Amino acid sequence: MSNFTELTQAFINLDEEKVYGLVQKKIAAGEDPVGIIKECNEGMTEIGKLFEQNEYFLSELIMSGEIFKSIMAKLEPMLGDVQQENEPSKGTVVIGTVKEDIHDIGKDIVVSMLRGTGYEVVDLGVDVPADKFVAAAKETGAKLVGLSCLLNFTFPELKKVVDELDAAGLRDTVKVAIGGAPCNEEVRKFAGADYYAKDAAAAVSICKEIYQ
Amino acid sequence: MDVLRNNRIWAPLYDAVGCKTYKLPGRDLPAKGQFQFHEEEYMKADEYDVLINDPVEFMLERYIPRVLGATAEKGSARANMAFLKGGMAQMMMSDIMRNRSIYLQNKLGMPQPMTGAFLAPFDVISDAMRGLRGILLDIYRQPDKVLAACDVVVNEIANFALSTADPLKRYPIFVPTHKACFLSPKQFDKFYWPSFKKVLEILIDAGYTVRAYLEGDWGPHWHHFLELPKGKVLCDIDNQGDIFKAKAEIGHHQCLTGGIPNSMLILGSPGEIRERVKLLCETVAKDGGFIINGGCNIPYDTKPENYRAMIDAIIEYGTYDKSIKHVPKTAEPGVKRVRQRMVTPWEGKLQELGGVMGDEDLIRRPWEMLEGMGYNWLWQWVM
């Protein structure tokens, strides 16, 4: 159907054993780990497209994240500092689930999709207070802060993060995206955020737009 | 008002046994919020065979000691006391919830939206046993084990549902569905639906109706409810689902509830709510089979004026006939066709006793009742 490499295609098919086997072979053959990651990134991007076309569902996104994580665990020790020079990340994103909410599934899917497609993600975890988002945005110079919210009583918390970014003078340089089951355009407007991501694929598109 | 969650937890029971699956307001969370479920891997990937071959061993030796922290050290004084307190607290909780239900119905005119609960077998295994990550890996790596385990859970969870249901069968039994919205239709058809359908059929045959909270967007899956007898399932359409599509696709066969986005109840205006209710009454409510509600529930932080506007608009646009008095229907008798599993069945006890001198049934029945209650108590911790 297309000209994907064998590894990329196996990744798209979520054929775990084949993927690990191929990665192992490439490592043994002394291939550049950055190249291997790139092939997986391409697989992840294609999986995002399949998700948008309703060919793949959340389970496939999660599974691809798991496979990607396993590969990175193998390759990361081999990367050292080389990666930064050879293949700088496409951009940095700060992400977390807002205060008083401990849901992590949706956030984790977005994190692995972003990492899988080549972005640097600072994952602050769950139950994250507003000042932590602000501090992380300052420290990393990220142009995007992603807020995950699964409980509708935390809508005010979304707004709080936006307001505090504003108070810290970061609002001109940092965009805010919200996501999670109870979110929609109405909630975005209430919070004063820039984007509402309806799913993980939308989150990737937002990053593309910001870091184009 | 649809009070969905406030009969769910009586925290002293959860403290008595050291339940790890919930974070509770005032204990682990700020006092004014809602409780939250905390997912961990309490069953290991290589333990499917134990569950499949011996559910009693699986529950008592593996799962319960991990989920109920106070029972972790088997046979210790602390663990024995935890089970004792857990049983006592359970009776107290049942009493509180029963009185609450009677009070709401008789004094305030608010019949309960459901009584009793269960989970789809796939959710039993994926929520509190394997966790989402675990179950998704399993359906790729050991699909047959997942299927066999779901089948084993069918009778256990059906018995649990029946043990918590309204004996007079006036109210539906509640089932929140959690993991379906993560699955592709192919995965759903293979892993989720067959065992879920079996449980639903057992409950329907027993004379009950079921209220299924369809979490997330069930659009790709809800056509399966057409396979069940008509009018037996009340489907909660979540905020992500399309209530108009649900009406067109299954509304002629099962009852629907929902239609007002939670964000509108929290952030919107009374005018918007009024318009929404009017629209729903003119479309989804046409020909009946619809209950207006938030997406699954009324959020805690709904603006009171929006709630008022919803009720007023429903009365204005949604009254079919003012002469109708609302009384719960009397249920059909039904047939219970699943056997209750017991840790120590009566036959074994009878042997121990070496026979009884009087009426055996008089001794057997309460023995089996308590065995069943005890065993079903174990299964509530998968919820």
Side-chain angles (χ1 to χ4, degrees), chain A residues 80-100:
Chain A
D81 301 327
V82 216
Q83 187 201 17
Q84 297 306 322
E85 293 151 33
N86 290 357
E87 190 74 21
S89 91
K90 290 184 194 165
T92 304
V93 182
V94 169
I95 196 167
T97 305
V98 296
K99 199 175 158 207
E100 291 188 20

PDB file of all heavy atoms in Angstrom, chain A residues 80-100:
ATOM      1  N   GLY A  80      22.971   8.764  24.364  1.00  0.00           N
ATOM      2  CA  GLY A  80      23.881   9.727  24.975  1.00  0.00           C
ATOM      3  C   GLY A  80      23.486  11.139  24.591  1.00  0.00           C
ATOM      4  O   GLY A  80      22.306  11.473  24.564  1.00  0.00           O
ATOM      5  N   ASP A  81      24.464  11.971  24.262  1.00  0.00           N
ATOM      6  CA  ASP A  81      24.164  13.362  23.919  1.00  0.00           C
ATOM      7  C   ASP A  81      24.035  13.562  22.419  1.00  0.00           C
ATOM      8  O   ASP A  81      23.701  14.647  21.964  1.00  0.00           O
ATOM      9  CB  ASP A  81      25.275  14.293  24.445  1.00  0.00           C
ATOM     10  CG  ASP A  81      25.396  14.160  25.947  1.00  0.00           C
ATOM     11  OD1 ASP A  81      24.349  13.922  26.588  1.00  0.00           O
ATOM     12  OD2 ASP A  81      26.520  14.286  26.469  1.00  0.00           O
ATOM     13  N   VAL A  82      24.300  12.497  21.688  1.00  0.00           N
ATOM     14  CA  VAL A  82      24.313  12.626  20.234  1.00  0.00           C
ATOM     15  C   VAL A  82      22.993  13.136  19.695  1.00  0.00           C
ATOM     16  O   VAL A  82      22.947  13.944  18.783  1.00  0.00           O
ATOM     17  CB  VAL A  82      24.581  11.258  19.554  1.00  0.00           C
ATOM     18  CG1 VAL A  82      25.437  11.456  18.319  1.00  0.00           C
ATOM     19  CG2 VAL A  82      25.215  10.284  20.535  1.00  0.00           C
ATOM     20  N   GLN A  83      21.923  12.650  20.326  1.00  0.00           N
ATOM     21  CA  GLN A  83      20.599  12.908  19.788  1.00  0.00           C
ATOM     22  C   GLN A  83      20.331  14.399  19.637  1.00  0.00           C
ATOM     23  O   GLN A  83      19.834  14.845  18.619  1.00  0.00           O
ATOM     24  CB  GLN A  83      19.544  12.282  20.703  1.00  0.00           C
ATOM     25  CG  GLN A  83      18.165  12.369  20.097  1.00  0.00           C
ATOM     26  CD  GLN A  83      17.082  12.233  21.152  1.00  0.00           C
ATOM     27  OE1 GLN A  83      17.337  12.377  22.345  1.00  0.00           O
ATOM     28  NE2 GLN A  83      15.883  11.956  20.717  1.00  0.00           N
ATOM     29  N   GLN A  84      20.677  15.130  20.670  1.00  0.00           N
ATOM     30  CA  GLN A  84      20.384  16.565  20.673  1.00  0.00           C
ATOM     31  C   GLN A  84      20.945  17.254  19.428  1.00  0.00           C
ATOM     32  O   GLN A  84      20.296  18.101  18.844  1.00  0.00           O
ATOM     33  CB  GLN A  84      20.970  17.224  21.928  1.00  0.00           C
ATOM     34  CG  GLN A  84      20.368  16.719  23.223  1.00  0.00           C
ATOM     35  CD  GLN A  84      18.854  16.815  23.264  1.00  0.00           C
ATOM     36  OE1 GLN A  84      18.278  17.782  22.775  1.00  0.00           O
ATOM     37  NE2 GLN A  84      18.198  15.796  23.806  1.00  0.00           N
ATOM     38  N   GLU A  85      22.190  16.861  19.040  1.00  0.00           N
ATOM     39  CA  GLU A  85      22.804  17.522  17.886  1.00  0.00           C
ATOM     40  C   GLU A  85      22.252  17.017  16.561  1.00  0.00           C
ATOM     41  O   GLU A  85      21.933  17.789  15.670  1.00  0.00           O
ATOM     42  CB  GLU A  85      24.328  17.294  17.904  1.00  0.00           C
ATOM     43  CG  GLU A  85      24.996  18.004  19.073  1.00  0.00           C
ATOM     44  CD  GLU A  85      26.256  17.282  19.524  1.00  0.00           C
ATOM     45  OE1 GLU A  85      26.932  16.688  18.665  1.00  0.00           O
ATOM     46  OE2 GLU A  85      26.545  17.303  20.737  1.00  0.00           O
ATOM     47  N   ASN A  86      22.126  15.693  16.483  1.00  0.00           N
ATOM     48  CA  ASN A  86      21.700  15.118  15.209  1.00  0.00           C
ATOM     49  C   ASN A  86      20.235  15.370  14.891  1.00  0.00           C
ATOM     50  O   ASN A  86      19.875  15.681  13.778  1.00  0.00           O
ATOM     51  CB  ASN A  86      21.918  13.596  15.225  1.00  0.00           C
ATOM     52  CG  ASN A  86      23.398  13.284  15.192  1.00  0.00           C
ATOM     53  OD1 ASN A  86      24.226  14.189  15.107  1.00  0.00           O
ATOM     54  ND2 ASN A  86      23.714  12.008  15.275  1.00  0.00           N
ATOM     55  N   GLU A  87      19.434  15.192  15.884  1.00  0.00           N
ATOM     56  CA  GLU A  87      17.994  15.190  15.624  1.00  0.00           C
ATOM     57  C   GLU A  87      17.293  15.969  16.730  1.00  0.00           C
ATOM     58  O   GLU A  87      16.700  15.396  17.632  1.00  0.00           O
ATOM     59  CB  GLU A  87      17.501  13.727  15.607  1.00  0.00           C
ATOM     60  CG  GLU A  87      16.095  13.537  15.112  1.00  0.00           C
ATOM     61  CD  GLU A  87      15.978  13.701  13.612  1.00  0.00           C
ATOM     62  OE1 GLU A  87      16.988  13.577  12.896  1.00  0.00           O
ATOM     63  OE2 GLU A  87      14.859  13.967  13.171  1.00  0.00           O
ATOM     64  N   PRO A  88      17.383  17.302  16.675  1.00  0.00           N
ATOM     65  CA  PRO A  88      16.746  18.057  17.746  1.00  0.00           C
ATOM     66  C   PRO A  88      15.243  17.791  17.719  1.00  0.00           C
ATOM     67  O   PRO A  88      14.683  17.540  16.659  1.00  0.00           O
ATOM     68  CB  PRO A  88      17.042  19.516  17.383  1.00  0.00           C
ATOM     69  CG  PRO A  88      17.364  19.511  15.933  1.00  0.00           C
ATOM     70  CD  PRO A  88      17.900  18.164  15.593  1.00  0.00           C
ATOM     71  N   SER A  89      14.622  17.837  18.891  1.00  0.00           N
ATOM     72  CA  SER A  89      13.190  17.539  18.938  1.00  0.00           C
ATOM     73  C   SER A  89      12.428  18.633  18.209  1.00  0.00           C
ATOM     74  O   SER A  89      12.921  19.729  17.996  1.00  0.00           O
ATOM     75  CB  SER A  89      12.720  17.437  20.380  1.00  0.00           C
ATOM     76  OG  SER A  89      12.285  18.683  20.842  1.00  0.00           O
ATOM     77  N   LYS A  90      11.213  18.298  17.825  1.00  0.00           N
ATOM     78  CA  LYS A  90      10.419  19.249  17.052  1.00  0.00           C
ATOM     79  C   LYS A  90       9.925  20.416  17.903  1.00  0.00           C
ATOM     80  O   LYS A  90       9.467  21.422  17.375  1.00  0.00           O
ATOM     81  CB  LYS A  90       9.208  18.538  16.465  1.00  0.00           C
ATOM     82  CG  LYS A  90       9.543  17.548  15.373  1.00  0.00           C
ATOM     83  CD  LYS A  90       8.222  17.015  14.831  1.00  0.00           C
ATOM     84  CE  LYS A  90       8.411  15.785  13.976  1.00  0.00           C
ATOM     85  NZ  LYS A  90       7.138  15.090  13.769  1.00  0.00           N
ATOM     86  N   GLY A  91       9.971  20.247  19.229  1.00  0.00           N
ATOM     87  CA  GLY A  91       9.488  21.291  20.109  1.00  0.00           C
ATOM     88  C   GLY A  91       9.129  20.705  21.455  1.00  0.00           C
ATOM     89  O   GLY A  91       9.003  19.490  21.583  1.00  0.00           O
ATOM     90  N   THR A  92       8.983  21.593  22.458  1.00  0.00           N
ATOM     91  CA  THR A  92       8.714  21.105  23.807  1.00  0.00           C
ATOM     92  C   THR A  92       7.279  21.409  24.228  1.00  0.00           C
ATOM     93  O   THR A  92       6.759  22.492  23.951  1.00  0.00           O
ATOM     94  CB  THR A  92       9.683  21.765  24.799  1.00  0.00           C
ATOM     95  OG1 THR A  92      11.016  21.501  24.363  1.00  0.00           O
ATOM     96  CG2 THR A  92       9.496  21.222  26.202  1.00  0.00           C
ATOM     97  N   VAL A  93       6.671  20.442  24.888  1.00  0.00           N
ATOM     98  CA  VAL A  93       5.304  20.611  25.382  1.00  0.00           C
ATOM     99  C   VAL A  93       5.263  20.241  26.852  1.00  0.00           C
ATOM    100  O   VAL A  93       5.816  19.219  27.261  1.00  0.00           O
ATOM    101  CB  VAL A  93       4.329  19.683  24.623  1.00  0.00           C
ATOM    102  CG1 VAL A  93       2.908  19.905  25.104  1.00  0.00           C
ATOM    103  CG2 VAL A  93       4.429  19.893  23.128  1.00  0.00           C
ATOM    104  N   VAL A  94       4.645  21.111  27.661  1.00  0.00           N
ATOM    105  CA  VAL A  94       4.422  20.789  29.074  1.00  0.00           C
ATOM    106  C   VAL A  94       3.002  20.252  29.195  1.00  0.00           C
ATOM    107  O   VAL A  94       2.068  20.817  28.623  1.00  0.00           O
ATOM    108  CB  VAL A  94       4.591  22.049  29.954  1.00  0.00           C
ATOM    109  CG1 VAL A  94       4.091  21.781  31.367  1.00  0.00           C
ATOM    110  CG2 VAL A  94       6.041  22.495  29.963  1.00  0.00           C
ATOM    111  N   ILE A  95       2.860  19.144  29.919  1.00  0.00           N
ATOM    112  CA  ILE A  95       1.525  18.543  29.993  1.00  0.00           C
ATOM    113  C   ILE A  95       1.264  17.979  31.382  1.00  0.00           C
ATOM    114  O   ILE A  95       2.191  17.576  32.073  1.00  0.00           O
ATOM    115  CB  ILE A  95       1.385  17.449  28.900  1.00  0.00           C
ATOM    116  CG1 ILE A  95      -0.060  17.060  28.673  1.00  0.00           C
ATOM    117  CG2 ILE A  95       2.211  16.243  29.226  1.00  0.00           C
ATOM    118  CD1 ILE A  95      -0.272  16.240  27.426  1.00  0.00           C
ATOM    119  N   GLY A  96       0.009  17.996  31.792  1.00  0.00           N
ATOM    120  CA  GLY A  96      -0.341  17.417  33.089  1.00  0.00           C
ATOM    121  C   GLY A  96      -1.848  17.403  33.288  1.00  0.00           C
ATOM    122  O   GLY A  96      -2.590  18.067  32.569  1.00  0.00           O
ATOM    123  N   THR A  97      -2.301  16.594  34.252  1.00  0.00           N
ATOM    124  CA  THR A  97      -3.712  16.602  34.647  1.00  0.00           C
ATOM    125  C   THR A  97      -3.866  17.604  35.787  1.00  0.00           C
ATOM    126  O   THR A  97      -3.056  17.602  36.719  1.00  0.00           O
ATOM    127  CB  THR A  97      -4.162  15.206  35.122  1.00  0.00           C
ATOM    128  OG1 THR A  97      -3.884  14.258  34.089  1.00  0.00           O
ATOM    129  CG2 THR A  97      -5.644  15.180  35.431  1.00  0.00           C
ATOM    130  N   VAL A  98      -4.883  18.442  35.702  1.00  0.00           N
ATOM    131  CA  VAL A  98      -4.995  19.560  36.642  1.00  0.00           C
ATOM    132  C   VAL A  98      -5.275  19.119  38.075  1.00  0.00           C
ATOM    133  O   VAL A  98      -5.659  17.977  38.322  1.00  0.00           O
ATOM    134  CB  VAL A  98      -6.062  20.584  36.202  1.00  0.00           C
ATOM    135  CG1 VAL A  98      -5.658  21.237  34.885  1.00  0.00           C
ATOM    136  CG2 VAL A  98      -7.429  19.940  36.119  1.00  0.00           C
ATOM    137  N   LYS A  99      -5.100  20.048  38.970  1.00  0.00           N
ATOM    138  CA  LYS A  99      -5.222  19.801  40.407  1.00  0.00           C
ATOM    139  C   LYS A  99      -6.556  19.148  40.777  1.00  0.00           C
ATOM    140  O   LYS A  99      -7.596  19.466  40.209  1.00  0.00           O
ATOM    141  CB  LYS A  99      -5.087  21.133  41.146  1.00  0.00           C
ATOM    142  CG  LYS A  99      -4.750  20.961  42.602  1.00  0.00           C
ATOM    143  CD  LYS A  99      -4.503  22.293  43.263  1.00  0.00           C
ATOM    144  CE  LYS A  99      -4.716  22.145  44.748  1.00  0.00           C
ATOM    145  NZ  LYS A  99      -5.117  23.370  45.386  1.00  0.00           N
ATOM    146  N   GLU A 100      -6.487  18.253  41.739  1.00  0.00           N
ATOM    147  CA  GLU A 100      -7.647  17.528  42.291  1.00  0.00           C
ATOM    148  C   GLU A 100      -8.198  16.472  41.349  1.00  0.00           C
ATOM    149  O   GLU A 100      -9.252  15.910  41.598  1.00  0.00           O
ATOM    150  CB  GLU A 100      -8.757  18.493  42.729  1.00  0.00           C
ATOM    151  CG  GLU A 100      -8.331  19.278  43.941  1.00  0.00           C
ATOM    152  CD  GLU A 100      -9.440  20.124  44.546  1.00  0.00           C
ATOM    153  OE1 GLU A 100     -10.615  19.852  44.281  1.00  0.00           O
ATOM    154  OE2 GLU A 100      -9.104  21.051  45.288  1.00  0.00           O
TER     155      GLU A 100
END
